[in-house]
Structure formats: C-alpha cells, structure tokens
Amino acid sequence: MPAATPLSPQRRRFLMDTARMAGGCALAGGALVWLARDARALPAEALRPPGALPETDFLGACIRCGLCVRDCPYDTLALAELGADGPATGTPFFTARDVPCEMCDDIPCVTACPTGALDPALTNIDDARMGTAVLVDQENCLNFLGLRCDVCYRVCPVIDAAITLELSHNERSGHHAIFAPTVHAEHCTGCGKCEKSCVLPEAAIKVLPLRLARGAPAEHYRKGWEEMEEHGGPLVEGVIDLPDRLPGPGTDNLAAPGGFEPSFTLPGAGE
Amino acid sequence: MKETMKLPVGEEATRLKGWWPAHRFLVLRRLSQAFFLGLFLLGPWLGLWWVAGTLAGSRTFGVLPLTDPLVLAQSLVAGHWPELTALIGALIVLAAYALIGGRVYCSWVCPINPVTDAAHWLHETLGLQKGWQPKRHTRLWLLAMVLIVSALTGTIAWEVVNPITMLHRGLVFGMGFAWALVALVFLFDLLVSRRGWCGHLCPVGAFYGLLGTYSLLRVSAPRRAACDDCMDCFAVCPENHVIAPALRGKDGETPLILSPDCTNCGRCVDVCSVNVFEFTHRFDQHVEALPPPERSGTTAA
C-alpha cells in the first residue's frame, strides 16, 4: 500500500471554512425559503391591481417599486406594510370595502408597471379579473329579505351583465317579488364597488379572489344540451324518446297510466 | 508607539488641514444620502413628482426608468422575463455603477449606511469589542444563497427581508414594522459584530462590489511616501483591508486601491493629515517621490 500523502493544513482549513459557510448559508437560506413561501398567502380581502399575474408569478415579477400606487388617481392602491398589512411586504393591493377600483379606461396602474407584474396585455379594463363578487350572505341581504335596496346592482360598472336582479316569488309575504342580486362571474371585474356600497354594517356581497370564489368543472365534462345543439341532434343514434310525464293541472297525469287526480284544481282550469 | 496614534481619529488632520478638508467627503456623503432620499420624498411631502417609486424601481421626470439590477436578477432567476422598461432601467444602473464603482451605492446612496455608521460611532464611543467577525466573503455566499432561494421559490426572495428597500420604502410609502428590521441591523452592528452588516453580510453590497470590480473611479495613494503611520485611515475605513496593498506597496506596485470592496467613501482622504490619498481614475499610476517623512514619533517611543 502506498504511503498516504500528508494532508496539508491549508486544505483542511479550506474544506472546513467551505463547509461552515455552506452550512450557514443553508440555514439562512432555509429561513428565507420559509419566509418567502409564507409571503405567498394573500389574505382573501386583499385584492391585487388589475392585470396582476397569478399570485405565485406575481411575487416573482413585482419589484415593489410602488409606481402603480403613485399613478392610481383614486388612492385605491397601497403598498403592504411589514406586519401591518397581510400581503407580501411592499406589494400593491387594495381592500374593496375601503376604496374600490374605479376601473379607469386607460388603466394607469398597468401602464406604470415597469416589469409586467401587471400584465400590459390588459388593455380593456372590462377584461380585468381582480376577483369576483359573491353574495355571501343571503340571510342578511336586504333584497333577499324582500326589500328593494338594489345598491350593489345600481353601482355595478357592468350593470345588468355582472350583476342582474333575478325575480322570484316572495314566499313570506305571499304576494311580493324578491329581486335577488345575482353575480355573473364571466362579466365581473372584481372592482369591489358593490362591496364598498353595501349598506349593511358588514357587506353581504364581497369580492373574493377567484381561487376562493369559483369552482371549476372537470375537463372531461360535456354539457349534453350544448353538444346536442352543436351536433344538430342527439349524439347517440337510436335513443328511444319516452313520453315525458309533465306535471300540470290534472289532465296529463290522469292520461298517463297510473295517473292521479291533482289534489286541487285552480279555479277555472281543466274545463 | 507614535504620538499621533494616540490622538482621536482625524484630529491631527483637522488641526493641520482645517475642519472642512478633514470632513469634506463625510459631509458630502451625508448630503448625497439626504439628496437621494429627498428626491423620493419631494413627491409625497411636497407634491413635486420629479422622482416616483423606490430604490427598487423608479421613474424620473416621467421618462427615465431606473431599476435595481439585483432585484431584477432575482426576478429573472425566479422565472419572470420583465418588460423592457425594467430591463433598460437596470442596464442604466449597471452601467453607471460599473463606471463609478459599485459600492459607491453603499456609501453615497444606501439609506442603511447612516444607520450602520451611527451604530459604529456608538460602538466606538462605548469602546465595545469587535465581536463576531465572519469572513468578508460571507456576503458572496449569501448573495449566491439569495439567488438560489429566488430560483427555488419563484419569488424575489431578498425583498422579503432586505432592510435597504424596507427602510427606503418605509420612508417614502409608510413604515409598518419595517423600523424593527432597521433596529435589528443597528443592534447587530452595535452589539454583535463591528461593521458586521455592511462589511460582512449584506448581499446587496456584495452584488454592487462585484459590479464595480473594474470601475474607473478609484482612490489612490500617490503620496504614500509621506505616510507617517498614524493609522487613522485604517481606523476610519469600513473595509480597511483594502488600504494596505496601495499604501504599503513597494516601488513599482500600484498606489491604486483596486479592491472591489472599497466603497469610495473618501474618509481616508479626509482623515489623512499628510494628504496621502486622492480620488483619481484606475489608469492613474503616478506615485510622488517625496523625502522620507519625519518619523520622530517612532524613534521616541
């Protein structure tokens, strides 16, 4: 066996120093990873400016310069302060209940962004999806109680598309209508004017981030009625179309085998 | 021991040169730091929006974009290709500091510098031990660590804790609890490690140091023959390992301080009572031939 060459002390010191440095950096790096990942948890009530990339991409793109905040003409946007606001320190956000987005036509915040964290591809503010409004509390919404508050509907910049009033019978009074404010997410920009204007002490309609507000259909789902319309007929040949048993005042049910007499007949019907 | 060594740092220079020549670069540096901070405060305080944004990214007179190149580098490794505005801004900053010295940012612009300088002043006043002194290149390791963490997490990782942008953004936009982070840096420099943050750990300083490796603007010691070994320059320099190669260089060796660690703060120029140092460019190799200085102190000791 050849004699081992004596190890130099410099070599040992170098290896020791390197190992120590690498260990220290791994420790500090681990802490930084933890902090950086922790910063991803955007609170539900904090909304990003229009055109903001999805949160995980946003945190890699936003340099926290605050130019969007400076160019926002309505004091809507603010930079998150360490320990005082929820979003990652120094990133822009707004709280709909405090100051909603006024949906400027020229979208100055997006124009101001030097990095593209606010996507310059957004040129029509109606295409912004800062979140979506959800009527979270039907039990306290005045319209659902049968009153005509309508404020969220009236203030909506995309009125009659993003929020409509859907009529239904008011079972409580028996002879009034309920005008239910109904959000259509495909048109809602998430500007937050409805949440801001809700007259209740705590808003019954709130703008939530899409990840919380929306479900998603499975990719393989097909809606039969849409497919049928596209195809111009049933997709499967030779389907036997059985007669439908229609509910109705009397006759249809009696005509069907095993039919029964309705429990009551409306006055003047079935003559 | 030489008599002048017993004097407080800079006192002999003040006595011989007068107050202003002995404090010139210190005062100019504080004015510069106040100026760059003031530019950003003109908007929120006085409504004069000449400069908008923060040190991470800004817009001057509505046209000139400036971007912190390290922040943008983290964004790049995190997987985001930025818009042209930010890229141009970063290139301008890169070019400027590559020319005048990367760490000029540290001593003439960075808002943390007055904090750590204050910590160092108090540290000296209280006569504290130098404490934990990690190797100078620790900051290079940390710089690499920051870039790796950015790539791993897909975020601009250092901005989660960076006291520089936290303090600057805090002053311009609103502080939150960022002052606590600044206080930590102050306490670290005061109690744990003399000149620890800027001198050993800060990865931003490491980045700017690398950036200025071949910079033009340099401090030189052309009158090194006049040096009377008072040691004031070593005492006042925040990166004092950079001085010896230039000051103690033999004939034929460069009088230039070529280490990228030098922050071009100019304090050595100030405190030298025999005017050994001066600002010059990196191709200026001239050394003045001088009669040997009076070293009476050394023989008397």
Side-chain angles (χ1 to χ4, degrees):
Chain A
M1 206 178 145
T5 39
L7 296 176
S8 78
Q10 284 88 351
R11 179 167 172 268
R12 173 170 300 182
R13 185 177 303 144
F14 171 78
L15 288 175
M16 200 57 224
D17 283 351
T18 307
R20 188 174 288 160
M21 238 12 129
C25 281
L27 208 66
L32 194 58
V33 166
W34 181 71
L35 284 171
R37 291 182 66 93
D38 202 41
R40 287 179 182 173
L42 184 67
E45 66 272 22
L47 301 173
R48 290 294 186 200
L53 300 175
E55 186 64 8
T56 44
D57 299 338
F58 185 79
L59 290 180
C62 173
I63 59 170
R64 307 160 189 222
C65 65
L67 287 173
C68 53
V69 176
R70 289 296 181 225
D71 285 9
C72 175
Y74 293 102
D75 278 342
T76 300
L77 296 176
L79 292 187
E81 291 176 15
L82 183 69
D85 302 308
T89 313
T91 56
F93 75 105
F94 70 100
T95 309
R97 189 65 165 164
D98 298 338
V99 193
C101 172
E102 295 286 340
M103 288 175 59
C104 312
D105 277 336
D106 51 349
I107 331 181
C109 48
V110 173
T111 318
C113 180
T115 65
L118 306 182
D119 192 349
L122 179 75
T123 49
N124 179 359
I125 189 65
D126 288 338
D127 295 336
R129 293 292 175 269
M130 297 168 263
T132 191
V134 181
L135 203 141
V136 289
D137 190 1
Q138 296 187 0
E139 291 169 57
N140 282 310
C141 170
L142 296 181
N143 268 39
F144 268 86
L145 294 175
L147 286 83
R148 290 300 301 276
C149 163
D150 293 2
V151 169
C152 55
Y153 165 75
R154 298 275 168 210
V155 298
C156 178
V158 207
I159 185 170
D160 283 325
I163 303 185
T164 57
L165 293 178
E166 301 294 324
L167 268 68
S168 59
H169 178 59
N170 185 340
E171 293 288 348
R172 182 182 56 77
S173 73
H175 55 278
H176 293 97
I178 285 175
F179 290 74
T182 306
V183 177
H184 305 277
E186 59 175 320
H187 297 293
C188 177
T189 63
C191 73
K193 297 210 89 167
C194 52
E195 181 179 343
K196 168 69 182 173
S197 320
C198 179
V199 301
L200 300 183
E202 178 71 46
I205 189 166
K206 289 192 163 93
V207 176
L208 300 177
L210 293 173
R211 72 186 155 87
L212 291 182
R214 306 235 48 199
E219 263 182 45
H220 64 280
Y221 286 5
R222 300 284 178 272
K223 287 170 182 156
W225 54 96
E226 285 175 0
E227 299 287 324
M228 206 160 135
E229 198 175 345
E230 218 170 278
H231 191 248
L235 294 179
V236 184
E237 299 299 329
V239 175
I240 309 158
D241 191 20
L242 296 170
D244 301 318
R245 275 200 205 172
L246 297 172
T251 50
D252 274 17
N253 283 339
L254 274 179
F260 55 88
E261 192 79 40
S263 56
F264 70 95
T265 38
L266 289 175
E271 298 296 308
Chain B
M1 194 185 186
K2 190 173 163 336
E3 287 304 309
T4 50
M5 269 187 84
K6 294 176 187 158
L7 290 174
V9 173
E11 187 155 318
E12 197 188 5
T14 312
R15 211 180 284 162
L16 288 175
K17 301 199 292 186
W19 190 89
W20 171 245
H23 295 85
R24 190 163 42 136
F25 287 109
L26 179 63
V27 173
L28 287 176
R29 212 155 57 77
R30 294 288 176 249
L31 287 177
S32 161
Q33 289 161 347
F35 172 75
F36 283 108
L37 183 59
L39 280 181
F40 287 92
L41 289 172
L42 278 180
W45 286 7
L46 303 175
L48 281 176
W49 294 105
W50 294 348
V51 178
T54 64
L55 282 179
S58 65
R59 189 183 55 212
T60 305
F61 294 119
V63 285
L64 174 71
L66 294 174
T67 316
D68 185 303
L70 176 58
V71 172
L72 209 64
Q74 291 172 74
S75 183
L76 280 169
V77 298
H80 176 76
W81 183 256
E83 291 294 310
L84 201 58
T85 314
L87 285 173
I88 293 173
L91 283 178
I92 296 173
V93 174
L94 280 174
Y97 283 114
L99 216 59
I100 61 169
R103 295 206 65 200
V104 164
Y105 175 84
C106 297
S107 57
W108 294 78
V109 179
C110 178
I112 286 292
N113 177 275
V115 175
T116 55
D117 273 1
H120 184 251
W121 173 82
L122 190 58
H123 183 100
E124 292 294 288
T125 308
L126 297 176
L128 299 176
Q129 298 287 309
K130 67 181 174 184
W132 180 51
Q133 295 286 291
K135 287 195 163 35
R136 295 268 174 191
H137 65 250
T138 307
R139 53 187 164 202
L140 290 170
W141 282 82
L142 287 175
L143 174 62
M145 180 273 285
V146 162
L147 291 172
I148 290 170
V149 171
S150 290
L152 285 179
T153 57
T155 62
I156 301 178
W158 190 242
E159 290 309 290
V160 178
V161 289
N162 187 356
I164 301 170
T165 45
M166 290 262 190
L167 175 59
H168 190 260
R169 200 189 308 116
L171 292 169
V172 178
F173 279 92
M175 192 62 91
F177 285 87
W179 60 266
L181 213 68
V182 177
L184 279 180
V185 171
F186 181 87
L187 289 176
F188 178 78
D189 264 29
L190 176 66
L191 301 173
V192 180
S193 174
R194 176 190 295 170
R195 286 189 157 141
W197 184 258
C198 301
H200 300 87
L201 298 183
C202 179
V204 181
F207 174 83
Y208 279 100
L210 291 177
L211 178 55
T213 308
Y214 300 104
S215 70
L216 219 49
L217 182 67
R218 295 287 168 175
V219 174
S220 180
R223 288 166 50 83
R224 63 189 174 194
C227 174
D228 62 358
D229 295 328
C230 77
M231 303 303 279
D232 277 5
C233 54
F234 287 99
V236 86
C237 180
E239 302 272 350
N240 53 28
H241 57 288
V242 308
I243 293 181
L247 184 65
R248 304 284 193 237
K250 308 242 174 347
D251 289 342
E253 286 175 4
T254 180
L256 291 161
I257 294 178
L258 288 175
S259 167
D261 290 346
C262 172
T263 68
N264 278 355
C265 72
R267 273 303 272 159
C268 53
V269 185
D270 278 348
V271 300
C272 182
S273 60
V274 288
N275 291 322
V276 165
F277 299 98
E278 66 180 32
F279 272 109
T280 181
H281 57 83
R282 71 178 295 126
F283 304 109
D284 178 12
Q285 299 281 0
H286 91 276
V287 184
E288 287 180 33
L290 294 165
E294 240 180 275
R295 298 203 183 215
S296 55
T298 23
T299 45

